[in-house]
Amino acid sequence: MTSELNRRDFLRGTAAAAAGAALSGPALAQSRPITLRIMTSTPKELYDGLCADFTQKQPAIRITVDTPSPDYDDLSLRVLRASISGDIPDIAFQGFNRIDLLAQRGLAMSLDSLIDAEGDLATLGYQPPLLDMTKSNGKVFGLPFAISSPTLFYNLDLVEKAGGNPDKLPADWPEIIDLGRKIRGLGGGTMGLHYAYIGHSGVWTWMALIMSQGGRILTPDGRDIAFDSPEGLEALELFRQFGQAGQIEMSLDQTRQAFSGGSMGILGTANSYLRSAEKAAAGRFRVRTANLPLKPNGKLPVGGNAATILTKDPDRQKVAWGFVKFMTGPEAQTKLVNTTGYIPANDIAVKKPELLGRFFAENANARVGVEQLPILTKWPGFPGENAIKITDLIRDRIQSVVTLRREPKAALDDMVRDVRALLPRA
């Protein structure tokens, strides 16, 4: 990536320029192959493989995949910069929490007319609750591609060595944290519990701690914060307990490398890590996945991304729609799950035995994600041009608590004040 723009600056003052920027070049002549350009996050090999499958079926269409972004926040910045320079891609696989941003800037097109022309999308495997995750002001702006959920990964061998029961894992946070301490007590550089918050876009795992208790991140109108609440304080209290139990500051890659290497007992991260975790553990130790503790009224923010169409050219939009349907259809969704730990967004892929039905019946770890679908809800995104600056600020406050430099209540008070100062004025 060549950009030198600090993500904390988040293109201040560029909203008007972004809205008025040119979004696509002239339509390609029909005698030449159409080339669609897409932006994604990692893993690049997943998108490259699926794009190759598509072009094999549609040889008159070429797909170029930009260098992937490390996360959805970075991807959002790249799309916004591209809209200013007039070099915007045709399609972006954008995180669910940033779809509102693209819609409000007039960058992503509403898919409602295309959906209406298709008829009943449910017959094609698209589930209405998942389509709701991509709505902004009642309109659909993306087709869900990759679904992830906050998940706990256990190294059952370390659990057993620490005196835990691999067949009866902890049901609440006090028990989970206590088990993490016992695993850390095994010594030899063994790490106990790590709840990852660095590297996950949009402070997603922090939101999960609040929402799993029934709390909210934003008010119903999306204009003000709602985490100045008992649930918001409890989330930071948990982060302090993670730090007291021995959690150290590590990048997301480092935490996953530690778990894959067998030196970490419990890791809280996205279920999309599943295939990598199981592959690394094969023949060395046993892996089990489990839900985060959830109160009766609790929900979890949906993670992952949806395919959004950004080109303004009508002819290219039609071609892009065909590509987006392929990527979110049963065949591509089956390959997505077999390659990663993502939850498939297409119901046909889930139910057909020859696709993923048999796979989920035989794989308990993968089934955990599918069983979470009813408790997944929209991933909140902060409004306004300071959206990414806000999530960076929250991450800094969390870090001060995990490292035991600040008390949760003081950190929450600062977080509330500073985030409100960055929200758009009514």
Side-chain angles (χ1 to χ4, degrees), residues 97-179:
N97 65 325
R98 300 300 181 206
I99 290 176
D100 276 336
L101 176 67
L102 297 186
Q104 291 162 7
R105 294 286 182 93
L107 301 180
M109 72 168 290
S110 167
L111 303 182
D112 287 1
S113 62
L114 294 171
I115 290 173
D116 289 344
E118 290 289 338
D120 184 10
L121 278 189
T123 62
L124 300 179
Y126 299 98
Q127 304 173 60
L130 292 180
L131 287 175
D132 288 344
M133 309 295 184
T134 73
K135 286 184 176 180
S136 182
N137 289 326
K139 295 181 179 181
V140 175
F141 283 88
L143 290 187
F145 171 66
I147 308 294
S148 64
S149 60
T151 301
L152 294 174
F153 288 76
Y154 287 87
N155 178 325
L156 294 185
D157 290 35
L158 291 179
V159 168
E160 198 166 38
K161 286 180 182 178
N165 184 351
D167 297 318
K168 190 178 180 182
L169 295 172
D172 58 32
W173 280 116
E175 292 179 349
I176 293 168
I177 293 168
D178 183 60
L179 178 57

Side-chain angles (χ1 to χ4, degrees), residues 66-82:
D66 282 14
T67 301
S69 290
D71 55 47
Y72 299 129
D73 289 346
D74 182 80
L75 179 61
S76 300
L77 287 171
R78 291 177 66 191
V79 169
L80 290 172
R81 284 193 294 266

Side-chain angles (χ1 to χ4, degrees), residues 171-226:
D172 58 32
W173 280 116
E175 292 179 349
I176 293 168
I177 293 168
D178 183 60
L179 178 57
R181 286 196 183 96
K182 291 176 180 177
I183 293 172
R184 183 169 177 253
L186 294 172
T190 301
M191 288 173 271
L193 165 66
H194 190 104
Y195 187 77
Y197 70 96
I198 296 173
H200 282 300
S201 301
V203 284
W204 179 61
T205 51
W206 165 79
M207 291 182 176
L209 291 181
I210 295 173
M211 296 168 69
S212 65
Q213 302 173 65
R216 297 183 62 95
I217 307 303
L218 295 169
T219 53
D221 64 7
R223 295 184 178 182
D224 194 13
I225 64 165

Side-chain angles (χ1 to χ4, degrees), residues 56 83 176 216 327 401:
Q56 188 173 23
S83 73
I176 293 168
R216 297 183 62 95
M327 294 292 279
V401 173

Side-chain angles (χ1 to χ4, degrees), residues 207-353:
M207 291 182 176
L209 291 181
I210 295 173
M211 296 168 69
S212 65
Q213 302 173 65
R216 297 183 62 95
I217 307 303
L218 295 169
T219 53
D221 64 7
R223 295 184 178 182
D224 194 13
I225 64 165
F227 60 80
D228 53 341
S229 63
E231 295 85 4
L233 180 58
E234 176 62 20
L236 289 181
E237 291 282 1
L238 284 171
F239 274 112
R240 176 172 62 175
Q241 293 174 47
F242 299 155
Q244 291 171 336
Q247 176 164 324
I248 60 176
E249 294 298 274
M250 301 169 68
S251 71
L252 184 59
D253 283 345
Q254 288 172 329
T255 63
R256 292 179 173 183
Q257 288 168 9
F259 188 89
S260 295
S263 62
M264 180 180 289
I266 309 169
L267 173 60
T269 186
N271 69 329
S272 54
Y273 168 56
L274 179 59
R275 291 284 84 73
S276 295
E278 290 183 329
K279 183 177 179 180
R284 298 172 53 241
F285 60 90
R286 296 164 293 162
V287 174
R288 180 77 51 79
T289 61
N291 289 328
L292 268 61
L294 196 74
K295 290 190 176 179
N297 62 337
K299 295 285 186 179
L300 292 175
V302 65
N305 67 66
T308 61
I309 297 177
L310 309 184
T311 177
K312 296 297 188 183
D313 183 288
D315 291 331
R316 298 181 71 81
Q317 287 175 348
K318 292 176 183 177
V319 176
W321 176 242
F323 173 72
V324 164
K325 285 195 299 178
F326 170 80
M327 294 292 279
T328 56
E331 179 184 336
Q333 290 287 291
T334 298
K335 191 167 186 177
L336 167 81
V337 173
N338 288 331
T339 306
T340 70
Y342 280 114
I343 305 167
N346 191 287
D347 203 40
I348 293 175
V350 174
K351 292 180 177 178
K352 281 197 171 185

